[in-house]
Amino acid sequence: RAVQQLAFLSAEHEVTLLSHVDGAEPAAARAAVLALGVRVDTVPLSPMGSWARAWLGLLAREPSQVAFYRSSHMRELVARHVHEGNYDAIWVQLFRVAQSLDGVEHPAKVLFLADSIALNLGRAQAFEPWWKRPVIAWESRRVAACEVAATKSFREAWVVSPVDRDDLQSRGVPHARLVPHGVDEA
């Protein structure tokens, strides 16, 4: 989905991708994105450090998946790009990395949530083994609060289905917008 979105945007716009990398990316991935005309700037993300933050995050209010991606280096990279660049819009994919823009002001910041992760976790809980359910319930509650909090500094929050939009709006996200899309599998 992300590559399709980059291809669509880069067809008519200058696009810069800021991304974490952990060394497990396919060898041709960077070249494929560059071939779209997208500028790429990355920050290494240590899998060991990320998992340690995620596990320690179980004891905090922040969702483990947000702790997993927390990176002062990414925060600095984003701040530098926004300060030095002349970006018409900033588009962030998924709430778990929205914290990379804490304190970054821009009139056209969009958070692409795709769907309500809290809703997905709540639905999945019934299908998990009994011993996983309390952890999933805990993560779901933290994600629900974080999804709402993350959207507050963005102009819009985009989702792909009316069910997800309605869920987010019922939890206090007034600027959740429906932006349905599909992926060209060819």
Side-chain angles (χ1 to χ4, degrees):
R1 176 174 60 201
V3 173
Q4 290 286 321
Q5 291 166 336
L6 286 170
F8 177 80
L9 291 170
S10 66
E12 295 189 29
H13 304 280
E14 291 181 23
V15 176
T16 300
L17 171 65
L18 307 181
S19 179
H20 293 288
V21 291
D22 66 7
E25 299 78 24
R30 185 181 192 100
V33 174
L34 290 170
L36 297 172
V38 174
R39 292 182 303 266
V40 178
D41 206 346
T42 59
V43 170
L45 191 67
S46 159
M48 186 182 307
S50 294
W51 281 109
R53 284 190 303 277
W55 281 105
L56 290 171
L58 286 172
L59 306 172
R61 288 186 175 189
E62 176 181 70
S64 291
Q65 54 192 288
V66 173
F68 185 95
Y69 288 100
R70 185 162 296 286
S71 165
S72 60
H73 297 296
M74 179 57 81
R75 202 177 286 240
E76 291 165 8
L77 181 67
V78 168
R80 181 171 50 81
H81 269 272
V82 172
H83 176 72
E84 294 173 2
N86 187 22
Y87 296 100
D88 294 327
I90 298 172
W91 186 72
V92 177
Q93 183 155 340
L94 305 179
F95 85 95
R96 55 184 73 122
V97 294
Q99 43 81 17
S100 296
L101 277 89
D102 285 352
V104 172
E105 296 298 323
H106 192 281
K109 285 191 333 188
V110 174
L111 179 57
F112 178 69
L113 296 169
D115 49 19
S116 166
I117 301 297
L119 182 63
N120 289 347
L121 286 169
R123 288 175 169 170
Q125 189 175 344
F127 300 99
E128 294 292 339
W130 66 268
W131 54 271
K132 279 187 178 180
R133 291 178 188 169
V135 175
I136 292 172
W138 173 235
E139 182 75 353
S140 180
R141 285 192 299 277
R142 296 183 308 158
V143 166
C146 188
E147 281 177 326
V148 173
T151 64
K152 293 193 184 299
S153 67
F154 287 83
R155 180 175 170 178
E156 293 183 359
W158 292 358
V159 293
V160 299
S161 84
V163 172
D164 296 296
R165 180 201 55 213
D166 295 348
D167 177 65
L168 289 162
Q169 287 177 339
S170 75
R171 290 191 283 121
V173 180
H175 55 286
R177 303 285 181 255
L178 180 60
V179 183
H181 72 279
V183 172
D184 179 2
E185 292 182 358

